[in-house]
């Protein structure tokens, strides 16, 4: 609770410095994710969260599913914002899949028998399209900063995200088979939440900021190159004008000078009479 709360406060403070910049969305969205997680952990901590029960008496923490239904689509949107290759259609399909995954997962946890098994299988099926979506987005984000020190950070974010998102399904299965209790499930979910939200969103912010800096540097280089080419063309034009001027001036001067030189040569060639 305190970890998410601290991260939420830091994001809000960061947003205050990014109010008039293009980075504001990349700060507010992670802040929203951490704010919802902070609220959820507070409700669960003090026993105010929404709780359900299966027919066999198994306690289901529905508050977690409610939190994930709000935060996971936001995380997918963040991935879309840093990965230009992901289309709006892919984002929509990923959000639909994640919502269906959570709904069927919650329904499976609230039921027993074959119905629970079928719903659990459906939940896993809906998770499968999210894997290529995350891979595409995080790979593109990592390629932007791969030549810099931040590339190692993005590689870590990639592997942590893939492992933690898969861990949610694993702990869900273990709980359904009765191999772990509610306490263990809550601890694992909390750790996965921290990795999937705090580490993930910070990594995305880093990638986004680095990507913006690199794109800005690229634009500046293009502008400088354009200015250099313009300057070269202008210099060539000035040189051509100078050559044309010198050619014209040379012709205008050469014509009278030829007469003067010719007259001078003729005068010098006449013999002079010497007076005695």
């Amino acid at each position: 609770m305190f970890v998410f709360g601290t991260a939420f406060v830091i994001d809000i403070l960061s947003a205050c410095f990014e109010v008039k910049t293009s980075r504001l969305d990349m700060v507010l969205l992670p802040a929203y994710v951490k704010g919802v997680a902070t609220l959820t952990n507070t409700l669960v901590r003090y026993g105010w969260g929404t709780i359900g029960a299966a027919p066999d008496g198994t306690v289901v923490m529905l508050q977690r599913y409610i939190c994930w239904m709000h935060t996971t689509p936001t995380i997918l949107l963040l991935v879309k914002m840093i990965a230009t290759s992901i289309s709006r259609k892919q984002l929509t399909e990923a959000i639909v899949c994640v919502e269906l995954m959570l709904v069927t997962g919650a329904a499976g946890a609230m039921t027993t028998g074959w119905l629970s098994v079928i719903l659990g299988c459906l939940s896993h099926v809906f998770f499968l399209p999210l894997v290529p979506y995350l891979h595409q987005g995080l790979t593109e984000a990592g390629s932007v900063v791969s030549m810099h020190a931040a590339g190692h950070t993005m590689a870590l974010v990639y592997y942590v995200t893939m492992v933690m998102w898969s861990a949610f399904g694993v702990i869900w299965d273990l709980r359904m088979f009765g191999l772990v209790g509610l306490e263990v499930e809550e601890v694992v979910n909390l750790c996965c939440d921290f990795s999937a939200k705090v580490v993930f969103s910070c990594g995305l912010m880093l990638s986004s900021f680095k990507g913006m800096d690199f794109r800005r540097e690229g634009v500046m280089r293009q502008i400088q190159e354009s200015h250099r080419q313009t300057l070269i063309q202008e210099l060539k034009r000035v040189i051509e004008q100078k050559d044309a001027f010198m050619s014209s001036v040379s012709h205008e001067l050469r014509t009278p000078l030829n007469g003067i030189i010719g007259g001078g040569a003729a005068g010098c060639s006449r013999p002079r009479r010497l007076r005695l």
Side-chain angles (χ1 to χ4, degrees):
M1 178 178 67
F2 295 105
V3 174
F4 284 109
T6 302
F8 172 70
V9 172
I10 293 174
D11 282 349
I12 293 298
L13 293 176
S14 299
C16 295
F17 294 97
E18 304 289 347
V19 172
K20 296 183 179 181
T21 68
S22 59
R23 300 175 176 180
L24 182 60
D25 290 343
M26 294 302 300
V27 177
L28 288 180
L29 289 177
Y32 169 76
V33 171
K34 296 163 190 173
V36 174
T38 302
L39 177 61
T40 297
N41 285 299
T42 301
L43 294 176
V44 172
R45 172 66 177 79
Y46 293 103
W48 300 332
T50 303
I51 299 176
D56 60 357
T58 303
V59 177
V60 180
M61 190 61 66
L62 293 178
Q63 190 65 45
R64 294 287 181 194
Y65 292 92
I66 297 173
C67 171
W68 295 333
M69 287 178 181
H70 288 83
T71 57
T72 310
T74 307
I75 291 176
L76 296 178
L77 176 60
L78 282 169
V79 175
K80 166 67 173 63
M81 293 175 65
I82 66 170
T84 56
S85 63
I86 295 180
S87 64
R88 184 174 298 180
K89 179 182 178 182
Q90 289 177 290
L91 173 63
T92 303
E93 292 174 350
I95 292 177
V96 171
C97 286
V98 77
E99 294 294 347
L100 291 175
M101 177 191 72
L102 293 171
V103 170
T104 52
M110 294 285 292
T111 57
T112 57
W114 284 106
L115 180 58
S116 178
V117 173
I118 294 173
L119 291 172
C121 291
L122 287 175
S123 181
H124 290 316
V125 168
F126 289 129
F127 172 74
L128 294 178
L130 301 178
V131 176
Y133 180 92
L134 292 173
H135 172 75
Q136 179 180 350
L138 295 178
T139 301
E140 181 177 341
S143 65
V144 174
V145 295
S146 59
M147 301 303 294
H148 301 264
H152 301 292
T153 303
M154 284 308 303
L156 176 63
V157 171
Y158 174 85
Y159 290 112
V160 168
T161 300
M162 289 300 184
V163 171
M164 291 299 102
W165 280 53
S166 301
F168 283 114
V170 173
I171 192 63
W172 189 91
D173 291 335
L174 294 176
R175 179 70 195 286
M176 290 300 99
F177 287 108
L179 299 179
V180 297
L182 178 63
E183 294 79 8
V184 175
E185 182 186 25
E186 280 297 300
V187 171
V188 175
N189 283 336
L190 185 60
C191 294
C192 292
D193 259 353
F194 175 79
S195 301
K197 291 182 174 63
V198 177
V199 176
F200 179 79
S201 60
C202 291
L204 290 186
M205 288 174 60
L206 172 65
S207 173
S208 174
F209 291 172
K210 289 294 183 181
M212 289 179 182
D213 291 338
F214 297 153
R215 285 192 290 270
R216 185 182 299 110
E217 291 175 1
V219 171
M220 291 301 298
R221 283 194 295 268
Q222 292 177 359
I223 294 174
Q224 291 174 357
E225 182 66 20
S226 176
H227 287 172
R228 189 173 70 87
Q229 294 296 333
T230 303
L231 183 60
I232 291 175
Q233 295 297 328
E234 183 68 19
L235 183 60
K236 288 181 178 179
R237 187 178 64 84
V238 171
I239 293 175
E240 290 174 356
Q241 291 178 351
K242 185 261 299 182
D243 291 340
F245 173 76
M246 293 302 296
S247 176
S248 175
V249 170
S250 176
H251 174 73
E252 296 297 333
L253 291 176
R254 190 164 52 247
T255 300
L257 285 177
N258 286 336
I260 295 174
I261 293 173
C268 292
S269 62
R270 293 178 182 177
R272 295 182 179 181
R273 294 181 180 180
L274 298 176
R275 289 183 178 178
L276 297 178

